[in-house]
Amino acid sequence: MSDFELELTTPDEETVPTIMLIDDDGNEEAHQVLAWQELDGREFAVLCPVDIEEGAEVGLVIMESVNGESLEFVADEDITQAVFDAFMEAMGAEEE
């Protein structure tokens, strides 16, 4: 799951940008950009799958902006957690 193609679209009927993640097997999954989060001078996108079954646990995807033109997956779990924590703080959520 490390090699993905990215396609950023913003259809007229949507106000939230959507990124299509395409895995090595050609499977596509649409993700909405929930937020752009800055951390330590770096910019990250917080993504959420579009098609979520009711009651399902949602796994957010954290990707780093590279030169403002492309996104790369964040492999470092510490960075992923720090970005997630900053995102939750910005959304007003308190830690449990």
Side-chain angles (χ1 to χ4, degrees):
M1 263 180 113
S2 61
D3 295 328
F4 281 86
E5 293 177 27
L6 301 175
E7 179 182 331
L8 180 61
T9 60
T10 309
D12 293 334
E13 66 274 3
E14 291 185 26
T15 58
V16 178
T18 301
I19 293 178
M20 295 300 294
L21 300 180
I22 305 168
D23 67 16
D24 294 333
D25 297 326
N27 300 315
E28 295 184 357
E29 186 174 36
H31 286 71
Q32 289 184 334
V33 179
L34 296 181
W36 291 98
Q37 185 67 49
E38 187 170 327
L39 182 69
D40 298 330
R42 297 161 64 184
E43 187 173 37
F44 299 88
V46 180
L47 310 176
C48 178
V50 172
D51 296 323
I52 304 169
E53 294 182 24
E54 188 173 329
E57 189 172 313
V58 177
L60 299 180
V61 177
I62 308 293
M63 301 185 80
E64 184 172 6
S65 176
V66 179
N67 298 325
E69 296 179 11
S70 63
L71 295 171
E72 291 182 0
F73 282 98
V74 177
D76 186 314
E77 290 184 28
D78 291 336
I79 294 173
T80 299
Q81 188 63 51
V83 172
F84 177 76
D85 291 345
F87 167 72
M88 294 302 290
E89 184 178 318
M91 294 293 112
E94 293 183 15
E95 290 185 33
E96 295 181 17

